[in-house]
Amino acid sequence: MSLFDSTQISLEAAMRGSSLRQTLLASNLANVNTPGYQRKDVDFHAALREAQQTGQSLETLSFSPTTDTSRTVRADGSGVDADQESAALAENALEYEALVQVAGARTNILQTAMGVR
Amino acid sequence: MGLFDAIDVAGTGLSAERLRMDVTAGNLANAQTTQGANGQPYRRREVVLQEAQADGQSFGAMLDTAVAGGSSSSPANGVQVAGIVEDQTPPRRVYDPGHPDADAQGYVSLPNVNPVTEMVDLISASRSYEANVTSMQTAKTLFSKTLELLR
């Protein structure tokens, strides 16, 4: 039996996915005035769910960003809506924070069991 | 490399928007300049942005490549300035025979700078700058929350 259970490893994988998403959303926001820019995003929930269902190892799971070519919201061909990106950024930040809190609480439990504190 | 990427990306956005504000300020300052660098009236300048491409020269990029044993590309590199171009619309012609730069008919060619356009550009750049500041602050907060896991 390993020290960390599958939930802990899932949390770690989700944190990786969420931090990648944070970078992509930051990139969308930085390119809000770039003509013809197509927004990038990553659906790490779907990748995680699929890996869990197929029994794929979560430790080596990597997430691949997608480019949304379908929408154009501005006359210069840009696909970035600054308001939507800001909302997604705030949402993703909260999600990341929640993941960190839960992962931290779980390691604290382990530490207590080990008699560290 | 993780959340540092998000901070770097927001940083590229900050410098791009800052340059837009600088160029807009230059346009407003030169709104009445009838003698530019080439003796012609000043022409309005505009910043053209493009998506930044990875140069692979940063320490983080080189480390990632070495660790991956092959090529490793960052998922996003932010924005970069493609160039500053001059607006080729014709200059404004104003009848002012007393002006030293008036032509034989008494018309002066003034820069093709419209203060309203410039103010709108300035607001757009300033708002985008703020959005990038927020995104950088968020990444910073998330990073310090992650560091708290070690306590």
Side-chain angles (χ1 to χ4, degrees), chain A residues 60-94:
Chain A
T60 55
L61 178 67
S62 67
F63 303 97
S64 40
T66 53
T67 306
D68 186 359
T69 55
S70 62
R71 49 176 234 164
T72 308
V73 295
R74 277 170 40 155
D76 63 6
S78 172
V80 181
D81 179 339
D83 299 320
Q84 280 183 14
E85 298 302 331
S86 301
L89 200 78
E91 183 194 319
N92 189 60
L94 282 174

PDB file of all heavy atoms in Angstrom, chain A residues 60-94:
ATOM      1  N   THR A  60       1.368  10.252 -14.445  1.00  0.00           N
ATOM      2  CA  THR A  60       2.010  10.666 -15.689  1.00  0.00           C
ATOM      3  C   THR A  60       1.033  11.334 -16.638  1.00  0.00           C
ATOM      4  O   THR A  60       1.378  11.651 -17.774  1.00  0.00           O
ATOM      5  CB  THR A  60       2.630   9.442 -16.405  1.00  0.00           C
ATOM      6  OG1 THR A  60       1.588   8.476 -16.569  1.00  0.00           O
ATOM      7  CG2 THR A  60       3.758   8.854 -15.598  1.00  0.00           C
ATOM      8  N   LEU A  61      -0.205  11.551 -16.155  1.00  0.00           N
ATOM      9  CA  LEU A  61      -1.220  12.148 -17.027  1.00  0.00           C
ATOM     10  C   LEU A  61      -0.811  13.565 -17.433  1.00  0.00           C
ATOM     11  O   LEU A  61      -0.472  14.391 -16.593  1.00  0.00           O
ATOM     12  CB  LEU A  61      -2.559  12.190 -16.278  1.00  0.00           C
ATOM     13  CG  LEU A  61      -3.740  12.832 -16.998  1.00  0.00           C
ATOM     14  CD1 LEU A  61      -4.148  11.996 -18.202  1.00  0.00           C
ATOM     15  CD2 LEU A  61      -4.912  12.996 -16.055  1.00  0.00           C
ATOM     16  N   SER A  62      -0.811  13.818 -18.747  1.00  0.00           N
ATOM     17  CA  SER A  62      -0.511  15.183 -19.194  1.00  0.00           C
ATOM     18  C   SER A  62      -1.741  15.743 -19.911  1.00  0.00           C
ATOM     19  O   SER A  62      -2.513  15.004 -20.520  1.00  0.00           O
ATOM     20  CB  SER A  62       0.697  15.186 -20.116  1.00  0.00           C
ATOM     21  OG  SER A  62       0.383  14.513 -21.304  1.00  0.00           O
ATOM     22  N   PHE A  63      -1.901  17.050 -19.790  1.00  0.00           N
ATOM     23  CA  PHE A  63      -3.082  17.694 -20.359  1.00  0.00           C
ATOM     24  C   PHE A  63      -2.688  18.434 -21.627  1.00  0.00           C
ATOM     25  O   PHE A  63      -1.638  19.074 -21.679  1.00  0.00           O
ATOM     26  CB  PHE A  63      -3.676  18.672 -19.347  1.00  0.00           C
ATOM     27  CG  PHE A  63      -4.040  18.038 -18.049  1.00  0.00           C
ATOM     28  CD1 PHE A  63      -3.166  18.088 -16.967  1.00  0.00           C
ATOM     29  CD2 PHE A  63      -5.237  17.370 -17.910  1.00  0.00           C
ATOM     30  CE1 PHE A  63      -3.491  17.485 -15.770  1.00  0.00           C
ATOM     31  CE2 PHE A  63      -5.566  16.760 -16.709  1.00  0.00           C
ATOM     32  CZ  PHE A  63      -4.696  16.821 -15.636  1.00  0.00           C
ATOM     33  N   SER A  64      -3.528  18.326 -22.654  1.00  0.00           N
ATOM     34  CA  SER A  64      -3.183  19.027 -23.898  1.00  0.00           C
ATOM     35  C   SER A  64      -4.142  20.206 -24.114  1.00  0.00           C
ATOM     36  O   SER A  64      -5.355  20.019 -24.143  1.00  0.00           O
ATOM     37  CB  SER A  64      -3.226  18.070 -25.074  1.00  0.00           C
ATOM     38  OG  SER A  64      -4.329  17.207 -24.947  1.00  0.00           O
ATOM     39  N   PRO A  65      -3.586  21.408 -24.285  1.00  0.00           N
ATOM     40  CA  PRO A  65      -4.418  22.586 -24.504  1.00  0.00           C
ATOM     41  C   PRO A  65      -5.116  22.526 -25.863  1.00  0.00           C
ATOM     42  O   PRO A  65      -4.585  21.940 -26.805  1.00  0.00           O
ATOM     43  CB  PRO A  65      -3.416  23.745 -24.494  1.00  0.00           C
ATOM     44  CG  PRO A  65      -2.164  23.201 -23.929  1.00  0.00           C
ATOM     45  CD  PRO A  65      -2.159  21.750 -24.216  1.00  0.00           C
ATOM     46  N   THR A  66      -6.303  23.112 -25.941  1.00  0.00           N
ATOM     47  CA  THR A  66      -7.020  23.174 -27.212  1.00  0.00           C
ATOM     48  C   THR A  66      -7.176  24.630 -27.629  1.00  0.00           C
ATOM     49  O   THR A  66      -7.211  25.533 -26.785  1.00  0.00           O
ATOM     50  CB  THR A  66      -8.416  22.543 -27.099  1.00  0.00           C
ATOM     51  OG1 THR A  66      -9.088  23.155 -25.988  1.00  0.00           O
ATOM     52  CG2 THR A  66      -8.345  21.056 -26.867  1.00  0.00           C
ATOM     53  N   THR A  67      -7.263  24.853 -28.922  1.00  0.00           N
ATOM     54  CA  THR A  67      -7.486  26.195 -29.455  1.00  0.00           C
ATOM     55  C   THR A  67      -8.898  26.262 -29.996  1.00  0.00           C
ATOM     56  O   THR A  67      -9.297  25.413 -30.795  1.00  0.00           O
ATOM     57  CB  THR A  67      -6.472  26.494 -30.575  1.00  0.00           C
ATOM     58  OG1 THR A  67      -5.172  26.258 -30.058  1.00  0.00           O
ATOM     59  CG2 THR A  67      -6.564  27.937 -31.019  1.00  0.00           C
ATOM     60  N   ASP A  68      -9.653  27.237 -29.541  1.00  0.00           N
ATOM     61  CA  ASP A  68     -11.043  27.389 -29.959  1.00  0.00           C
ATOM     62  C   ASP A  68     -11.095  28.233 -31.233  1.00  0.00           C
ATOM     63  O   ASP A  68     -10.932  29.451 -31.190  1.00  0.00           O
ATOM     64  CB  ASP A  68     -11.837  28.056 -28.831  1.00  0.00           C
ATOM     65  CG  ASP A  68     -13.321  28.102 -29.149  1.00  0.00           C
ATOM     66  OD1 ASP A  68     -13.701  27.644 -30.241  1.00  0.00           O
ATOM     67  OD2 ASP A  68     -14.091  28.585 -28.291  1.00  0.00           O
ATOM     68  N   THR A  69     -11.288  27.547 -32.381  1.00  0.00           N
ATOM     69  CA  THR A  69     -11.304  28.281 -33.651  1.00  0.00           C
ATOM     70  C   THR A  69     -12.715  28.686 -34.057  1.00  0.00           C
ATOM     71  O   THR A  69     -12.907  29.357 -35.058  1.00  0.00           O
ATOM     72  CB  THR A  69     -10.725  27.403 -34.783  1.00  0.00           C
ATOM     73  OG1 THR A  69     -11.460  26.176 -34.800  1.00  0.00           O
ATOM     74  CG2 THR A  69      -9.263  27.110 -34.547  1.00  0.00           C
ATOM     75  N   SER A  70     -13.714  28.267 -33.243  1.00  0.00           N
ATOM     76  CA  SER A  70     -15.097  28.414 -33.696  1.00  0.00           C
ATOM     77  C   SER A  70     -15.650  29.824 -33.536  1.00  0.00           C
ATOM     78  O   SER A  70     -16.519  30.240 -34.272  1.00  0.00           O
ATOM     79  CB  SER A  70     -15.987  27.430 -32.951  1.00  0.00           C
ATOM     80  OG  SER A  70     -15.955  27.725 -31.573  1.00  0.00           O
ATOM     81  N   ARG A  71     -15.115  30.582 -32.553  1.00  0.00           N
ATOM     82  CA  ARG A  71     -15.805  31.845 -32.298  1.00  0.00           C
ATOM     83  C   ARG A  71     -14.942  33.071 -32.523  1.00  0.00           C
ATOM     84  O   ARG A  71     -13.743  33.069 -32.293  1.00  0.00           O
ATOM     85  CB  ARG A  71     -16.414  31.874 -30.908  1.00  0.00           C
ATOM     86  CG  ARG A  71     -15.465  31.453 -29.817  1.00  0.00           C
ATOM     87  CD  ARG A  71     -16.111  31.615 -28.498  1.00  0.00           C
ATOM     88  NE  ARG A  71     -15.249  32.440 -27.666  1.00  0.00           N
ATOM     89  CZ  ARG A  71     -15.633  33.019 -26.566  1.00  0.00           C
ATOM     90  NH1 ARG A  71     -16.877  32.915 -26.170  1.00  0.00           N
ATOM     91  NH2 ARG A  71     -14.802  33.739 -25.865  1.00  0.00           N
ATOM     92  N   THR A  72     -15.603  34.078 -32.989  1.00  0.00           N
ATOM     93  CA  THR A  72     -14.978  35.380 -33.181  1.00  0.00           C
ATOM     94  C   THR A  72     -15.893  36.394 -32.511  1.00  0.00           C
ATOM     95  O   THR A  72     -17.069  36.456 -32.825  1.00  0.00           O
ATOM     96  CB  THR A  72     -14.866  35.699 -34.676  1.00  0.00           C
ATOM     97  OG1 THR A  72     -14.232  34.604 -35.306  1.00  0.00           O
ATOM     98  CG2 THR A  72     -14.037  36.933 -34.910  1.00  0.00           C
ATOM     99  N   VAL A  73     -15.368  37.155 -31.561  1.00  0.00           N
ATOM    100  CA  VAL A  73     -16.237  38.103 -30.863  1.00  0.00           C
ATOM    101  C   VAL A  73     -15.932  39.536 -31.247  1.00  0.00           C
ATOM    102  O   VAL A  73     -16.660  40.449 -30.877  1.00  0.00           O
ATOM    103  CB  VAL A  73     -16.141  37.951 -29.331  1.00  0.00           C
ATOM    104  CG1 VAL A  73     -16.667  36.614 -28.889  1.00  0.00           C
ATOM    105  CG2 VAL A  73     -14.730  38.150 -28.836  1.00  0.00           C
ATOM    106  N   ARG A  74     -14.845  39.750 -32.003  1.00  0.00           N
ATOM    107  CA  ARG A  74     -14.506  41.123 -32.357  1.00  0.00           C
ATOM    108  C   ARG A  74     -14.270  41.265 -33.849  1.00  0.00           C
ATOM    109  O   ARG A  74     -13.972  40.289 -34.534  1.00  0.00           O
ATOM    110  CB  ARG A  74     -13.267  41.572 -31.589  1.00  0.00           C
ATOM    111  CG  ARG A  74     -13.610  42.047 -30.200  1.00  0.00           C
ATOM    112  CD  ARG A  74     -12.418  42.267 -29.344  1.00  0.00           C
ATOM    113  NE  ARG A  74     -11.285  42.882 -30.024  1.00  0.00           N
ATOM    114  CZ  ARG A  74     -10.359  43.577 -29.385  1.00  0.00           C
ATOM    115  NH1 ARG A  74     -10.454  43.791 -28.109  1.00  0.00           N
ATOM    116  NH2 ARG A  74      -9.339  44.063 -30.038  1.00  0.00           N
ATOM    117  N   ALA A  75     -14.379  42.493 -34.336  1.00  0.00           N
ATOM    118  CA  ALA A  75     -14.248  42.738 -35.769  1.00  0.00           C
ATOM    119  C   ALA A  75     -12.851  42.421 -36.284  1.00  0.00           C
ATOM    120  O   ALA A  75     -12.677  42.082 -37.454  1.00  0.00           O
ATOM    121  CB  ALA A  75     -14.590  44.195 -36.071  1.00  0.00           C
ATOM    122  N   ASP A  76     -11.830  42.502 -35.410  1.00  0.00           N
ATOM    123  CA  ASP A  76     -10.468  42.217 -35.870  1.00  0.00           C
ATOM    124  C   ASP A  76     -10.145  40.725 -35.861  1.00  0.00           C
ATOM    125  O   ASP A  76      -8.990  40.341 -36.005  1.00  0.00           O
ATOM    126  CB  ASP A  76      -9.448  43.009 -35.047  1.00  0.00           C
ATOM    127  CG  ASP A  76      -9.465  42.623 -33.572  1.00  0.00           C
ATOM    128  OD1 ASP A  76     -10.188  41.672 -33.219  1.00  0.00           O
ATOM    129  OD2 ASP A  76      -8.766  43.272 -32.778  1.00  0.00           O
ATOM    130  N   GLY A  77     -11.168  39.867 -35.651  1.00  0.00           N
ATOM    131  CA  GLY A  77     -10.964  38.425 -35.714  1.00  0.00           C
ATOM    132  C   GLY A  77     -10.532  37.808 -34.402  1.00  0.00           C
ATOM    133  O   GLY A  77     -10.262  36.618 -34.339  1.00  0.00           O
ATOM    134  N   SER A  78     -10.474  38.610 -33.328  1.00  0.00           N
ATOM    135  CA  SER A  78     -10.075  38.083 -32.032  1.00  0.00           C
ATOM    136  C   SER A  78     -11.225  37.289 -31.414  1.00  0.00           C
ATOM    137  O   SER A  78     -12.385  37.670 -31.522  1.00  0.00           O
ATOM    138  CB  SER A  78      -9.683  39.230 -31.109  1.00  0.00           C
ATOM    139  OG  SER A  78      -9.480  38.749 -29.808  1.00  0.00           O
ATOM    140  N   GLY A  79     -10.884  36.185 -30.787  1.00  0.00           N
ATOM    141  CA  GLY A  79     -11.905  35.349 -30.162  1.00  0.00           C
ATOM    142  C   GLY A  79     -11.972  35.515 -28.666  1.00  0.00           C
ATOM    143  O   GLY A  79     -12.551  34.682 -27.968  1.00  0.00           O
ATOM    144  N   VAL A  80     -11.387  36.591 -28.135  1.00  0.00           N
ATOM    145  CA  VAL A  80     -11.292  36.759 -26.691  1.00  0.00           C
ATOM    146  C   VAL A  80     -12.308  37.788 -26.196  1.00  0.00           C
ATOM    147  O   VAL A  80     -12.306  38.926 -26.642  1.00  0.00           O
ATOM    148  CB  VAL A  80      -9.876  37.218 -26.278  1.00  0.00           C
ATOM    149  CG1 VAL A  80      -9.795  37.369 -24.777  1.00  0.00           C
ATOM    150  CG2 VAL A  80      -8.837  36.248 -26.761  1.00  0.00           C
ATOM    151  N   ASP A  81     -13.166  37.355 -25.286  1.00  0.00           N
ATOM    152  CA  ASP A  81     -14.066  38.275 -24.589  1.00  0.00           C
ATOM    153  C   ASP A  81     -13.451  38.501 -23.200  1.00  0.00           C
ATOM    154  O   ASP A  81     -13.406  37.574 -22.386  1.00  0.00           O
ATOM    155  CB  ASP A  81     -15.460  37.642 -24.494  1.00  0.00           C
ATOM    156  CG  ASP A  81     -16.444  38.545 -23.764  1.00  0.00           C
ATOM    157  OD1 ASP A  81     -15.985  39.418 -23.013  1.00  0.00           O
ATOM    158  OD2 ASP A  81     -17.653  38.366 -23.963  1.00  0.00           O
ATOM    159  N   ALA A  82     -12.957  39.707 -22.956  1.00  0.00           N
ATOM    160  CA  ALA A  82     -12.206  39.983 -21.721  1.00  0.00           C
ATOM    161  C   ALA A  82     -13.013  39.649 -20.466  1.00  0.00           C
ATOM    162  O   ALA A  82     -12.463  39.137 -19.489  1.00  0.00           O
ATOM    163  CB  ALA A  82     -11.776  41.440 -21.695  1.00  0.00           C
ATOM    164  N   ASP A  83     -14.327  39.924 -20.502  1.00  0.00           N
ATOM    165  CA  ASP A  83     -15.159  39.665 -19.319  1.00  0.00           C
ATOM    166  C   ASP A  83     -15.252  38.173 -19.031  1.00  0.00           C
ATOM    167  O   ASP A  83     -15.131  37.731 -17.888  1.00  0.00           O
ATOM    168  CB  ASP A  83     -16.555  40.252 -19.526  1.00  0.00           C
ATOM    169  CG  ASP A  83     -16.488  41.750 -19.734  1.00  0.00           C
ATOM    170  OD1 ASP A  83     -15.685  42.395 -19.047  1.00  0.00           O
ATOM    171  OD2 ASP A  83     -17.215  42.256 -20.604  1.00  0.00           O
ATOM    172  N   GLN A  84     -15.482  37.402 -20.098  1.00  0.00           N
ATOM    173  CA  GLN A  84     -15.583  35.951 -19.912  1.00  0.00           C
ATOM    174  C   GLN A  84     -14.268  35.365 -19.427  1.00  0.00           C
ATOM    175  O   GLN A  84     -14.246  34.477 -18.579  1.00  0.00           O
ATOM    176  CB  GLN A  84     -15.991  35.286 -21.223  1.00  0.00           C
ATOM    177  CG  GLN A  84     -17.480  35.374 -21.486  1.00  0.00           C
ATOM    178  CD  GLN A  84     -17.880  34.651 -22.756  1.00  0.00           C
ATOM    179  OE1 GLN A  84     -17.110  33.873 -23.300  1.00  0.00           O
ATOM    180  NE2 GLN A  84     -19.087  34.914 -23.206  1.00  0.00           N
ATOM    181  N   GLU A  85     -13.152  35.879 -19.977  1.00  0.00           N
ATOM    182  CA  GLU A  85     -11.848  35.365 -19.551  1.00  0.00           C
ATOM    183  C   GLU A  85     -11.595  35.692 -18.082  1.00  0.00           C
ATOM    184  O   GLU A  85     -11.093  34.862 -17.335  1.00  0.00           O
ATOM    185  CB  GLU A  85     -10.721  35.955 -20.409  1.00  0.00           C
ATOM    186  CG  GLU A  85     -10.788  35.613 -21.876  1.00  0.00           C
ATOM    187  CD  GLU A  85     -10.766  34.122 -22.169  1.00  0.00           C
ATOM    188  OE1 GLU A  85     -10.191  33.356 -21.387  1.00  0.00           O
ATOM    189  OE2 GLU A  85     -11.350  33.731 -23.195  1.00  0.00           O
ATOM    190  N   SER A  86     -11.947  36.916 -17.675  1.00  0.00           N
ATOM    191  CA  SER A  86     -11.749  37.306 -16.270  1.00  0.00           C
ATOM    192  C   SER A  86     -12.568  36.416 -15.349  1.00  0.00           C
ATOM    193  O   SER A  86     -12.091  35.985 -14.296  1.00  0.00           O
ATOM    194  CB  SER A  86     -12.152  38.761 -16.052  1.00  0.00           C
ATOM    195  OG  SER A  86     -11.394  39.588 -16.874  1.00  0.00           O
ATOM    196  N   ALA A  87     -13.814  36.152 -15.757  1.00  0.00           N
ATOM    197  CA  ALA A  87     -14.682  35.299 -14.940  1.00  0.00           C
ATOM    198  C   ALA A  87     -14.100  33.889 -14.836  1.00  0.00           C
ATOM    199  O   ALA A  87     -14.024  33.309 -13.741  1.00  0.00           O
ATOM    200  CB  ALA A  87     -16.080  35.256 -15.541  1.00  0.00           C
ATOM    201  N   ALA A  88     -13.633  33.363 -15.973  1.00  0.00           N
ATOM    202  CA  ALA A  88     -13.059  32.010 -15.976  1.00  0.00           C
ATOM    203  C   ALA A  88     -11.795  31.964 -15.131  1.00  0.00           C
ATOM    204  O   ALA A  88     -11.547  30.988 -14.419  1.00  0.00           O
ATOM    205  CB  ALA A  88     -12.759  31.582 -17.416  1.00  0.00           C
ATOM    206  N   LEU A  89     -11.019  33.062 -15.183  1.00  0.00           N
ATOM    207  CA  LEU A  89      -9.779  33.136 -14.407  1.00  0.00           C
ATOM    208  C   LEU A  89     -10.086  33.098 -12.910  1.00  0.00           C
ATOM    209  O   LEU A  89      -9.455  32.354 -12.153  1.00  0.00           O
ATOM    210  CB  LEU A  89      -9.059  34.436 -14.765  1.00  0.00           C
ATOM    211  CG  LEU A  89      -7.571  34.533 -14.473  1.00  0.00           C
ATOM    212  CD1 LEU A  89      -6.782  33.786 -15.522  1.00  0.00           C
ATOM    213  CD2 LEU A  89      -7.126  35.975 -14.444  1.00  0.00           C
ATOM    214  N   ALA A  90     -11.084  33.876 -12.491  1.00  0.00           N
ATOM    215  CA  ALA A  90     -11.458  33.914 -11.080  1.00  0.00           C
ATOM    216  C   ALA A  90     -11.988  32.553 -10.632  1.00  0.00           C
ATOM    217  O   ALA A  90     -11.651  32.055  -9.548  1.00  0.00           O
ATOM    218  CB  ALA A  90     -12.504  34.989 -10.854  1.00  0.00           C
ATOM    219  N   GLU A  91     -12.800  31.941 -11.493  1.00  0.00           N
ATOM    220  CA  GLU A  91     -13.386  30.636 -11.180  1.00  0.00           C
ATOM    221  C   GLU A  91     -12.294  29.580 -11.033  1.00  0.00           C
ATOM    222  O   GLU A  91     -12.264  28.806 -10.065  1.00  0.00           O
ATOM    223  CB  GLU A  91     -14.347  30.270 -12.319  1.00  0.00           C
ATOM    224  CG  GLU A  91     -15.101  28.986 -12.117  1.00  0.00           C
ATOM    225  CD  GLU A  91     -15.748  28.529 -13.417  1.00  0.00           C
ATOM    226  OE1 GLU A  91     -16.287  29.387 -14.143  1.00  0.00           O
ATOM    227  OE2 GLU A  91     -15.696  27.323 -13.697  1.00  0.00           O
ATOM    228  N   ASN A  92     -11.359  29.583 -11.975  1.00  0.00           N
ATOM    229  CA  ASN A  92     -10.280  28.598 -11.958  1.00  0.00           C
ATOM    230  C   ASN A  92      -9.373  28.802 -10.737  1.00  0.00           C
ATOM    231  O   ASN A  92      -8.907  27.833 -10.135  1.00  0.00           O
ATOM    232  CB  ASN A  92      -9.475  28.695 -13.249  1.00  0.00           C
ATOM    233  CG  ASN A  92      -8.493  27.564 -13.386  1.00  0.00           C
ATOM    234  OD1 ASN A  92      -8.870  26.405 -13.409  1.00  0.00           O
ATOM    235  ND2 ASN A  92      -7.222  27.900 -13.428  1.00  0.00           N
ATOM    236  N   ALA A  93      -9.158  30.081 -10.369  1.00  0.00           N
ATOM    237  CA  ALA A  93      -8.317  30.370  -9.202  1.00  0.00           C
ATOM    238  C   ALA A  93      -8.967  29.808  -7.939  1.00  0.00           C
ATOM    239  O   ALA A  93      -8.296  29.197  -7.103  1.00  0.00           O
ATOM    240  CB  ALA A  93      -8.108  31.867  -9.066  1.00  0.00           C
ATOM    241  N   LEU A  94     -10.300  29.983  -7.818  1.00  0.00           N
ATOM    242  CA  LEU A  94     -11.010  29.454  -6.649  1.00  0.00           C
ATOM    243  C   LEU A  94     -10.913  27.935  -6.614  1.00  0.00           C
ATOM    244  O   LEU A  94     -10.721  27.332  -5.562  1.00  0.00           O
ATOM    245  CB  LEU A  94     -12.475  29.888  -6.677  1.00  0.00           C
ATOM    246  CG  LEU A  94     -12.727  31.327  -6.235  1.00  0.00           C
ATOM    247  CD1 LEU A  94     -14.175  31.679  -6.440  1.00  0.00           C
ATOM    248  CD2 LEU A  94     -12.326  31.512  -4.786  1.00  0.00           C
TER     249      LEU A  94
END
